[in-house]
Amino acid sequence: MSGIVVEHLGKSFVLRDGKRFVALDDVSLTAADGEFCCLVGPSGCGKSTVLNIIASLVTPDSGSIRFSSGAGKTRIGYVFQKSRLLPWKSVRDNLALALAGAGVRRDEFASRIQHYLAMMGLERFAGEYPAALSGGMQQRVAIARAIAIEPDILLMDEPFGALDEFTARAARRHLLRIWEETHKTILFVTHNAFEAAYMADRVMLFTAHPGRLVRTVTVDVPRSERAIDEPRLLAVQKEILATLGLE
Amino acid sequence: MALQLLTIRLLSVVSMFLIWAVISWFLPPMLMPNPWVVAHRLWQLCLNGQFWFHAYGTVSRVVIGFALAFIVSIGLGVAMGLRRGVAVMFEAYVLVGLTVPGLCWSVLAIMWFGITEFAPVFAIFVVVLPMLTLNMWQGTKSLDKDLMEMSRTFNFSRRSVLFDVILPQLLPFCLAGARLGFALGWKVVVLSELFGLTSGVGYMINRAFSNYSMADVLAWTLGFTLIMFVLEYVIFLPVERSLVRWRTAAAT
Ligand SMILES: Nc1ncnc2c1ncn2[C@@H]1O[C@H](COP(=O)(O)OP(=O)(O)OP(=O)(O)O)[C@@H](O)[C@H]1O
Ligand SMILES: [Mg+2]
């Protein structure tokens, strides 16, 4: 378990025509231990970049990241925007490689894989190659992989973006149930304002060019009262859209 | 569908012999003997053991020279793809190597090392290496960056990154390289054999040439082509099939 403190992140990229492009401009945010945070904003505002910096795949030009997990290395599970499975490995082996990387004991592999695939409704497909699965199923395998290593922090980059509305609804309920059981710290990127209101404790709103965190909205609706037609959630959705200038 | 393809494949082979037969119809046998005469000659060479002896010599030289170049090219090509400095260092070597004709290397090797088994192996190695290295270099440059990031995020061991992430992506390049390298090796080895050695298919073709025996020249060429066919169907195609199994997973 771990909280995250991100302070004054700056990141710019040099484009091929030589111009500098500011992807992140002085972004500071925190996520408390066990908090569910959503990052919402238009395409290109730097949401994936924030997650990549936290996962240390991208080094920021300025600013710092701290994890409040205390002793030891903070374990991060990442669901990428695209599933990023190894196409030449079966679903089972894709999970097994992540477990090996996380230092899980080999005799625990089978039961863990079984458990987390079942959680995503995929236990029948353990022996298949990713090519035999639909896009949505591949994304669920990627989610299973990220959760199976039982991370301190879960980074999710539009994990349900590729799913149809039916599957997405089931997946959202699923994720919330897992989160309520385990209370991992989750940073969840989405384009979908209602999804953010429905899932999050707090929603962080970004604007693009340059990428800035403009506002944080706290969703003050108890979990037990969150239905998809709950007026208070619809109000939060409206507020998000208004802040982003979409309504 | 499979049957249809098999028919076409048969047709393609049969048509080659037909074209040959038609041409031999119009030319004197001294210039172009017909396929049956050549096949019969090859059969005799097989029966008296000459073909096997010389083909073994040639194939073993190609296999050794090629295998050495293949191993070195994987190390060198991957290093060039991963490290800019290594690429800049060896880029010129690869380009020069690609440009110098195989003939030059064959002659040089024999002048340096004399009539030894080492000379043709060296020539094959030097000619094939730049081509294979270029191939592995390209392959390494085209590695999927997203998957490399994924393997870092999930803390894959070095061993696992190499064997589970990098090599599976390079296998198609290895296979393409093996095919091209083998074909090139065969062209170089016959030159070496022709210039200086006392055994091998190239040597025998040269002898047939001295005797002005067109049937012999073609019989040796045909024999070696058949060996290449066998290699393709017994080694390369099955390996290729097993490599792309995961790609066709959806279809089966
Ligand atoms: N490696 C890179 N090189 C150059 N520019 C980059 C690179 N990575 C990101 N960018 C730029 O940084 C900006 C932010 O990218 P990022 O992927 O974080 O956006 P995003 O908010 O995740 O968008 P989306 O919702 O479309 O996924 C983009 O405008 C992009 O062009
Ligand atoms: Mg993104």
Side-chain angles (χ1 to χ4, degrees), chain A residues 12-15 21-24 41-50 52 58 81 157-158 189 191 209, chain B residues 145:
Chain A
S12 48
F13 292 102
V14 179
L15 299 181
F21 178 89
V22 182
L24 292 177
S43 185
C45 68
K47 306 179 296 289
S48 296
T49 305
V50 171
N52 284 336
V58 169
Q81 202 160 352
D157 200 345
E158 297 187 45
V189 168
H191 274 130
H209 312 296
Chain B
K145 222 178 114 261

PDB file of all heavy atoms in Angstrom, chain A residues 12-15 21-24 41-50 52 58 81 157-158 189 191 209, chain B residues 145, ligand 1:
ATOM      1  N   SER A  12       8.822  18.503 -21.340  1.00  0.00           N
ATOM      2  CA  SER A  12       8.532  18.907 -22.718  1.00  0.00           C
ATOM      3  C   SER A  12       9.263  17.972 -23.669  1.00  0.00           C
ATOM      4  O   SER A  12      10.263  17.356 -23.319  1.00  0.00           O
ATOM      5  CB  SER A  12       8.915  20.369 -22.957  1.00  0.00           C
ATOM      6  OG  SER A  12      10.201  20.608 -22.470  1.00  0.00           O
ATOM      7  N   PHE A  13       8.722  17.846 -24.847  1.00  0.00           N
ATOM      8  CA  PHE A  13       9.314  17.003 -25.871  1.00  0.00           C
ATOM      9  C   PHE A  13       9.794  17.892 -27.009  1.00  0.00           C
ATOM     10  O   PHE A  13       9.185  18.927 -27.283  1.00  0.00           O
ATOM     11  CB  PHE A  13       8.284  16.016 -26.428  1.00  0.00           C
ATOM     12  CG  PHE A  13       7.861  14.977 -25.426  1.00  0.00           C
ATOM     13  CD1 PHE A  13       6.643  15.099 -24.758  1.00  0.00           C
ATOM     14  CD2 PHE A  13       8.664  13.884 -25.150  1.00  0.00           C
ATOM     15  CE1 PHE A  13       6.249  14.148 -23.837  1.00  0.00           C
ATOM     16  CE2 PHE A  13       8.276  12.930 -24.233  1.00  0.00           C
ATOM     17  CZ  PHE A  13       7.063  13.056 -23.576  1.00  0.00           C
ATOM     18  N   VAL A  14      10.880  17.502 -27.628  1.00  0.00           N
ATOM     19  CA  VAL A  14      11.313  18.203 -28.830  1.00  0.00           C
ATOM     20  C   VAL A  14      10.714  17.458 -30.018  1.00  0.00           C
ATOM     21  O   VAL A  14      10.965  16.273 -30.215  1.00  0.00           O
ATOM     22  CB  VAL A  14      12.846  18.234 -28.940  1.00  0.00           C
ATOM     23  CG1 VAL A  14      13.265  18.954 -30.212  1.00  0.00           C
ATOM     24  CG2 VAL A  14      13.438  18.920 -27.712  1.00  0.00           C
ATOM     25  N   LEU A  15       9.896  18.149 -30.770  1.00  0.00           N
ATOM     26  CA  LEU A  15       9.265  17.511 -31.921  1.00  0.00           C
ATOM     27  C   LEU A  15      10.245  17.428 -33.076  1.00  0.00           C
ATOM     28  O   LEU A  15      11.313  18.024 -33.052  1.00  0.00           O
ATOM     29  CB  LEU A  15       8.007  18.292 -32.328  1.00  0.00           C
ATOM     30  CG  LEU A  15       6.937  18.371 -31.238  1.00  0.00           C
ATOM     31  CD1 LEU A  15       5.723  19.136 -31.730  1.00  0.00           C
ATOM     32  CD2 LEU A  15       6.523  16.987 -30.771  1.00  0.00           C
ATOM     33  N   PHE A  21       7.699  21.140 -27.297  1.00  0.00           N
ATOM     34  CA  PHE A  21       6.281  20.985 -27.016  1.00  0.00           C
ATOM     35  C   PHE A  21       6.127  20.690 -25.540  1.00  0.00           C
ATOM     36  O   PHE A  21       6.674  19.711 -25.039  1.00  0.00           O
ATOM     37  CB  PHE A  21       5.728  19.836 -27.867  1.00  0.00           C
ATOM     38  CG  PHE A  21       4.292  19.563 -27.619  1.00  0.00           C
ATOM     39  CD1 PHE A  21       3.313  20.219 -28.335  1.00  0.00           C
ATOM     40  CD2 PHE A  21       3.912  18.654 -26.638  1.00  0.00           C
ATOM     41  CE1 PHE A  21       1.976  19.980 -28.089  1.00  0.00           C
ATOM     42  CE2 PHE A  21       2.573  18.416 -26.389  1.00  0.00           C
ATOM     43  CZ  PHE A  21       1.614  19.076 -27.114  1.00  0.00           C
ATOM     44  N   VAL A  22       5.396  21.584 -24.832  1.00  0.00           N
ATOM     45  CA  VAL A  22       5.248  21.395 -23.386  1.00  0.00           C
ATOM     46  C   VAL A  22       4.116  20.416 -23.113  1.00  0.00           C
ATOM     47  O   VAL A  22       2.943  20.728 -23.306  1.00  0.00           O
ATOM     48  CB  VAL A  22       4.975  22.742 -22.679  1.00  0.00           C
ATOM     49  CG1 VAL A  22       4.864  22.522 -21.181  1.00  0.00           C
ATOM     50  CG2 VAL A  22       6.091  23.730 -22.998  1.00  0.00           C
ATOM     51  N   ALA A  23       4.470  19.204 -22.691  1.00  0.00           N
ATOM     52  CA  ALA A  23       3.451  18.185 -22.429  1.00  0.00           C
ATOM     53  C   ALA A  23       2.881  18.344 -21.021  1.00  0.00           C
ATOM     54  O   ALA A  23       1.690  18.147 -20.792  1.00  0.00           O
ATOM     55  CB  ALA A  23       4.032  16.792 -22.599  1.00  0.00           C
ATOM     56  N   LEU A  24       3.745  18.711 -20.051  1.00  0.00           N
ATOM     57  CA  LEU A  24       3.281  18.927 -18.682  1.00  0.00           C
ATOM     58  C   LEU A  24       3.879  20.220 -18.157  1.00  0.00           C
ATOM     59  O   LEU A  24       5.080  20.449 -18.286  1.00  0.00           O
ATOM     60  CB  LEU A  24       3.714  17.775 -17.764  1.00  0.00           C
ATOM     61  CG  LEU A  24       3.083  16.411 -18.001  1.00  0.00           C
ATOM     62  CD1 LEU A  24       3.697  15.387 -17.056  1.00  0.00           C
ATOM     63  CD2 LEU A  24       1.576  16.469 -17.825  1.00  0.00           C
ATOM     64  N   GLY A  41      -9.231  14.544 -19.090  1.00  0.00           N
ATOM     65  CA  GLY A  41      -8.827  15.698 -19.883  1.00  0.00           C
ATOM     66  C   GLY A  41      -8.818  15.321 -21.343  1.00  0.00           C
ATOM     67  O   GLY A  41      -8.869  14.141 -21.694  1.00  0.00           O
ATOM     68  N   PRO A  42      -8.722  16.343 -22.203  1.00  0.00           N
ATOM     69  CA  PRO A  42      -8.766  16.078 -23.637  1.00  0.00           C
ATOM     70  C   PRO A  42      -7.518  15.331 -24.103  1.00  0.00           C
ATOM     71  O   PRO A  42      -6.510  15.296 -23.402  1.00  0.00           O
ATOM     72  CB  PRO A  42      -8.818  17.476 -24.256  1.00  0.00           C
ATOM     73  CG  PRO A  42      -8.215  18.359 -23.225  1.00  0.00           C
ATOM     74  CD  PRO A  42      -8.579  17.772 -21.902  1.00  0.00           C
ATOM     75  N   SER A  43      -7.595  14.775 -25.264  1.00  0.00           N
ATOM     76  CA  SER A  43      -6.470  14.041 -25.841  1.00  0.00           C
ATOM     77  C   SER A  43      -5.243  14.931 -25.949  1.00  0.00           C
ATOM     78  O   SER A  43      -5.337  16.085 -26.359  1.00  0.00           O
ATOM     79  CB  SER A  43      -6.878  13.536 -27.224  1.00  0.00           C
ATOM     80  OG  SER A  43      -5.860  12.742 -27.748  1.00  0.00           O
ATOM     81  N   GLY A  44      -4.100  14.404 -25.522  1.00  0.00           N
ATOM     82  CA  GLY A  44      -2.859  15.152 -25.654  1.00  0.00           C
ATOM     83  C   GLY A  44      -2.534  16.055 -24.486  1.00  0.00           C
ATOM     84  O   GLY A  44      -1.577  16.821 -24.544  1.00  0.00           O
ATOM     85  N   CYS A  45      -3.310  15.970 -23.383  1.00  0.00           N
ATOM     86  CA  CYS A  45      -3.061  16.861 -22.249  1.00  0.00           C
ATOM     87  C   CYS A  45      -2.025  16.283 -21.288  1.00  0.00           C
ATOM     88  O   CYS A  45      -1.717  16.885 -20.273  1.00  0.00           O
ATOM     89  CB  CYS A  45      -4.357  17.174 -21.515  1.00  0.00           C
ATOM     90  SG  CYS A  45      -5.048  15.740 -20.679  1.00  0.00           S
ATOM     91  N   GLY A  46      -1.493  15.113 -21.591  1.00  0.00           N
ATOM     92  CA  GLY A  46      -0.378  14.613 -20.778  1.00  0.00           C
ATOM     93  C   GLY A  46      -0.748  13.581 -19.726  1.00  0.00           C
ATOM     94  O   GLY A  46       0.044  13.287 -18.840  1.00  0.00           O
ATOM     95  N   LYS A  47      -1.945  12.991 -19.843  1.00  0.00           N
ATOM     96  CA  LYS A  47      -2.368  12.005 -18.832  1.00  0.00           C
ATOM     97  C   LYS A  47      -1.463  10.776 -18.846  1.00  0.00           C
ATOM     98  O   LYS A  47      -0.971  10.332 -17.803  1.00  0.00           O
ATOM     99  CB  LYS A  47      -3.831  11.577 -19.089  1.00  0.00           C
ATOM    100  CG  LYS A  47      -4.799  12.744 -19.165  1.00  0.00           C
ATOM    101  CD  LYS A  47      -6.214  12.291 -19.447  1.00  0.00           C
ATOM    102  CE  LYS A  47      -6.424  11.617 -20.781  1.00  0.00           C
ATOM    103  NZ  LYS A  47      -6.357  12.489 -21.959  1.00  0.00           N
ATOM    104  N   SER A  48      -1.232  10.235 -20.052  1.00  0.00           N
ATOM    105  CA  SER A  48      -0.348   9.060 -20.142  1.00  0.00           C
ATOM    106  C   SER A  48       1.054   9.415 -19.684  1.00  0.00           C
ATOM    107  O   SER A  48       1.735   8.605 -19.052  1.00  0.00           O
ATOM    108  CB  SER A  48      -0.302   8.536 -21.577  1.00  0.00           C
ATOM    109  OG  SER A  48      -1.566   8.073 -21.975  1.00  0.00           O
ATOM    110  N   THR A  49       1.478  10.641 -19.986  1.00  0.00           N
ATOM    111  CA  THR A  49       2.820  11.057 -19.580  1.00  0.00           C
ATOM    112  C   THR A  49       2.953  11.058 -18.058  1.00  0.00           C
ATOM    113  O   THR A  49       3.973  10.621 -17.519  1.00  0.00           O
ATOM    114  CB  THR A  49       3.139  12.450 -20.165  1.00  0.00           C
ATOM    115  OG1 THR A  49       2.941  12.392 -21.585  1.00  0.00           O
ATOM    116  CG2 THR A  49       4.565  12.851 -19.888  1.00  0.00           C
ATOM    117  N   VAL A  50       1.919  11.534 -17.357  1.00  0.00           N
ATOM    118  CA  VAL A  50       1.963  11.505 -15.886  1.00  0.00           C
ATOM    119  C   VAL A  50       2.147  10.074 -15.390  1.00  0.00           C
ATOM    120  O   VAL A  50       3.021   9.789 -14.557  1.00  0.00           O
ATOM    121  CB  VAL A  50       0.673  12.112 -15.274  1.00  0.00           C
ATOM    122  CG1 VAL A  50       0.630  11.865 -13.769  1.00  0.00           C
ATOM    123  CG2 VAL A  50       0.587  13.597 -15.561  1.00  0.00           C
ATOM    124  N   ASN A  52       3.351   7.523 -17.031  1.00  0.00           N
ATOM    125  CA  ASN A  52       4.664   7.010 -17.432  1.00  0.00           C
ATOM    126  C   ASN A  52       5.776   7.536 -16.526  1.00  0.00           C
ATOM    127  O   ASN A  52       6.739   6.830 -16.245  1.00  0.00           O
ATOM    128  CB  ASN A  52       4.968   7.378 -18.884  1.00  0.00           C
ATOM    129  CG  ASN A  52       4.186   6.500 -19.853  1.00  0.00           C
ATOM    130  OD1 ASN A  52       3.795   5.397 -19.500  1.00  0.00           O
ATOM    131  ND2 ASN A  52       3.958   7.003 -21.046  1.00  0.00           N
ATOM    132  N   VAL A  58       9.348   7.398 -18.134  1.00  0.00           N
ATOM    133  CA  VAL A  58       9.726   8.692 -18.699  1.00  0.00           C
ATOM    134  C   VAL A  58      10.361   9.496 -17.573  1.00  0.00           C
ATOM    135  O   VAL A  58       9.855   9.471 -16.447  1.00  0.00           O
ATOM    136  CB  VAL A  58       8.476   9.426 -19.240  1.00  0.00           C
ATOM    137  CG1 VAL A  58       8.799  10.871 -19.576  1.00  0.00           C
ATOM    138  CG2 VAL A  58       7.900   8.707 -20.445  1.00  0.00           C
ATOM    139  N   GLN A  81      -2.449   1.867 -22.167  1.00  0.00           N
ATOM    140  CA  GLN A  81      -3.557   2.279 -23.034  1.00  0.00           C
ATOM    141  C   GLN A  81      -3.856   1.195 -24.072  1.00  0.00           C
ATOM    142  O   GLN A  81      -4.999   0.953 -24.410  1.00  0.00           O
ATOM    143  CB  GLN A  81      -3.187   3.601 -23.712  1.00  0.00           C
ATOM    144  CG  GLN A  81      -4.386   4.394 -24.185  1.00  0.00           C
ATOM    145  CD  GLN A  81      -4.057   5.864 -24.408  1.00  0.00           C
ATOM    146  OE1 GLN A  81      -2.985   6.349 -24.085  1.00  0.00           O
ATOM    147  NE2 GLN A  81      -5.015   6.582 -24.973  1.00  0.00           N
ATOM    148  N   ASP A 157      -4.585   3.213 -17.685  1.00  0.00           N
ATOM    149  CA  ASP A 157      -4.696   4.224 -18.736  1.00  0.00           C
ATOM    150  C   ASP A 157      -5.848   3.870 -19.670  1.00  0.00           C
ATOM    151  O   ASP A 157      -5.696   3.042 -20.566  1.00  0.00           O
ATOM    152  CB  ASP A 157      -3.375   4.301 -19.508  1.00  0.00           C
ATOM    153  CG  ASP A 157      -3.247   5.621 -20.265  1.00  0.00           C
ATOM    154  OD1 ASP A 157      -4.279   6.316 -20.414  1.00  0.00           O
ATOM    155  OD2 ASP A 157      -2.130   5.944 -20.695  1.00  0.00           O
ATOM    156  N   GLU A 158      -6.983   4.490 -19.454  1.00  0.00           N
ATOM    157  CA  GLU A 158      -8.193   4.200 -20.236  1.00  0.00           C
ATOM    158  C   GLU A 158      -8.413   2.699 -20.414  1.00  0.00           C
ATOM    159  O   GLU A 158      -8.530   2.218 -21.543  1.00  0.00           O
ATOM    160  CB  GLU A 158      -8.120   4.872 -21.606  1.00  0.00           C
ATOM    161  CG  GLU A 158      -8.079   6.369 -21.501  1.00  0.00           C
ATOM    162  CD  GLU A 158      -8.170   7.019 -22.876  1.00  0.00           C
ATOM    163  OE1 GLU A 158      -9.017   6.576 -23.673  1.00  0.00           O
ATOM    164  OE2 GLU A 158      -7.419   7.961 -23.136  1.00  0.00           O
ATOM    165  N   VAL A 189      -7.028   6.786 -15.704  1.00  0.00           N
ATOM    166  CA  VAL A 189      -7.206   7.799 -16.749  1.00  0.00           C
ATOM    167  C   VAL A 189      -8.437   7.471 -17.570  1.00  0.00           C
ATOM    168  O   VAL A 189      -8.674   6.309 -17.915  1.00  0.00           O
ATOM    169  CB  VAL A 189      -5.978   7.834 -17.682  1.00  0.00           C
ATOM    170  CG1 VAL A 189      -6.268   8.653 -18.924  1.00  0.00           C
ATOM    171  CG2 VAL A 189      -4.772   8.367 -16.939  1.00  0.00           C
ATOM    172  N   HIS A 191     -11.446   9.333 -20.594  1.00  0.00           N
ATOM    173  CA  HIS A 191     -12.020  10.452 -21.351  1.00  0.00           C
ATOM    174  C   HIS A 191     -13.446  10.699 -20.927  1.00  0.00           C
ATOM    175  O   HIS A 191     -14.065  11.685 -21.305  1.00  0.00           O
ATOM    176  CB  HIS A 191     -12.073  10.086 -22.843  1.00  0.00           C
ATOM    177  CG  HIS A 191     -10.810  10.379 -23.567  1.00  0.00           C
ATOM    178  ND1 HIS A 191     -10.205   9.443 -24.363  1.00  0.00           N
ATOM    179  CD2 HIS A 191     -10.039  11.486 -23.615  1.00  0.00           C
ATOM    180  CE1 HIS A 191      -9.110   9.972 -24.871  1.00  0.00           C
ATOM    181  NE2 HIS A 191      -8.990  11.204 -24.429  1.00  0.00           N
ATOM    182  N   HIS A 209      -2.084  21.759 -24.038  1.00  0.00           N
ATOM    183  CA  HIS A 209      -1.326  22.842 -24.703  1.00  0.00           C
ATOM    184  C   HIS A 209      -1.237  24.098 -23.871  1.00  0.00           C
ATOM    185  O   HIS A 209      -1.888  25.090 -24.187  1.00  0.00           O
ATOM    186  CB  HIS A 209      -1.938  23.182 -26.063  1.00  0.00           C
ATOM    187  CG  HIS A 209      -2.202  21.970 -26.883  1.00  0.00           C
ATOM    188  ND1 HIS A 209      -1.211  21.132 -27.335  1.00  0.00           N
ATOM    189  CD2 HIS A 209      -3.368  21.429 -27.308  1.00  0.00           C
ATOM    190  CE1 HIS A 209      -1.749  20.150 -28.020  1.00  0.00           C
ATOM    191  NE2 HIS A 209      -3.054  20.287 -28.013  1.00  0.00           N
TER     192      HIS A 209
ATOM    193  N   LYS B 145       8.931  -0.972 -29.014  1.00  0.00           N
ATOM    194  CA  LYS B 145       9.313  -0.186 -27.837  1.00  0.00           C
ATOM    195  C   LYS B 145       8.305  -0.365 -26.701  1.00  0.00           C
ATOM    196  O   LYS B 145       8.674  -0.399 -25.537  1.00  0.00           O
ATOM    197  CB  LYS B 145       9.392   1.291 -28.244  1.00  0.00           C
ATOM    198  CG  LYS B 145      10.587   2.022 -27.668  1.00  0.00           C
ATOM    199  CD  LYS B 145      10.622   3.461 -28.154  1.00  0.00           C
ATOM    200  CE  LYS B 145      10.398   4.464 -27.041  1.00  0.00           C
ATOM    201  NZ  LYS B 145       9.054   5.012 -26.891  1.00  0.00           N
TER     202      LYS B 145
HETATM  203  N1  LIG C   1       7.849  10.407 -26.910  1.00  0.00           N
HETATM  204  C1  LIG C   1       7.227  11.550 -27.266  1.00  0.00           C
HETATM  205  N2  LIG C   1       7.797  12.370 -28.168  1.00  0.00           N
HETATM  206  C2  LIG C   1       7.197  13.517 -28.531  1.00  0.00           C
HETATM  207  N3  LIG C   1       6.045  13.955 -28.013  1.00  0.00           N
HETATM  208  C3  LIG C   1       5.430  13.186 -27.117  1.00  0.00           C
HETATM  209  C4  LIG C   1       5.973  11.937 -26.691  1.00  0.00           C
HETATM  210  N4  LIG C   1       5.150  11.397 -25.766  1.00  0.00           N
HETATM  211  C5  LIG C   1       4.136  12.261 -25.650  1.00  0.00           C
HETATM  212  N5  LIG C   1       4.283  13.335 -26.449  1.00  0.00           N
HETATM  213  C6  LIG C   1       3.390  14.490 -26.545  1.00  0.00           C
HETATM  214  O1  LIG C   1       2.983  14.842 -25.267  1.00  0.00           O
HETATM  215  C7  LIG C   1       1.594  15.155 -25.254  1.00  0.00           C
HETATM  216  C8  LIG C   1       0.915  14.397 -24.158  1.00  0.00           C
HETATM  217  O2  LIG C   1       0.921  13.026 -24.497  1.00  0.00           O
HETATM  218  P1  LIG C   1       0.101  11.962 -23.669  1.00  0.00           P
HETATM  219  O3  LIG C   1       0.275  10.661 -24.348  1.00  0.00           O
HETATM  220  O4  LIG C   1       0.512  12.046 -22.248  1.00  0.00           O
HETATM  221  O5  LIG C   1      -1.387  12.484 -23.837  1.00  0.00           O
HETATM  222  P2  LIG C   1      -2.728  11.874 -23.256  1.00  0.00           P
HETATM  223  O6  LIG C   1      -3.325  12.878 -22.378  1.00  0.00           O
HETATM  224  O7  LIG C   1      -2.470  10.539 -22.690  1.00  0.00           O
HETATM  225  O8  LIG C   1      -3.604  11.749 -24.583  1.00  0.00           O
HETATM  226  P3  LIG C   1      -4.639  10.612 -24.986  1.00  0.00           P
HETATM  227  O9  LIG C   1      -5.864  10.857 -24.197  1.00  0.00           O
HETATM  228  O10 LIG C   1      -4.870  10.857 -26.451  1.00  0.00           O
HETATM  229  O11 LIG C   1      -4.006   9.296 -24.715  1.00  0.00           O
HETATM  230  C9  LIG C   1       1.050  14.819 -26.625  1.00  0.00           C
HETATM  231  O12 LIG C   1       0.714  16.008 -27.280  1.00  0.00           O
HETATM  232  C10 LIG C   1       2.170  14.136 -27.326  1.00  0.00           C
HETATM  233  O13 LIG C   1       2.264  14.617 -28.642  1.00  0.00           O
END
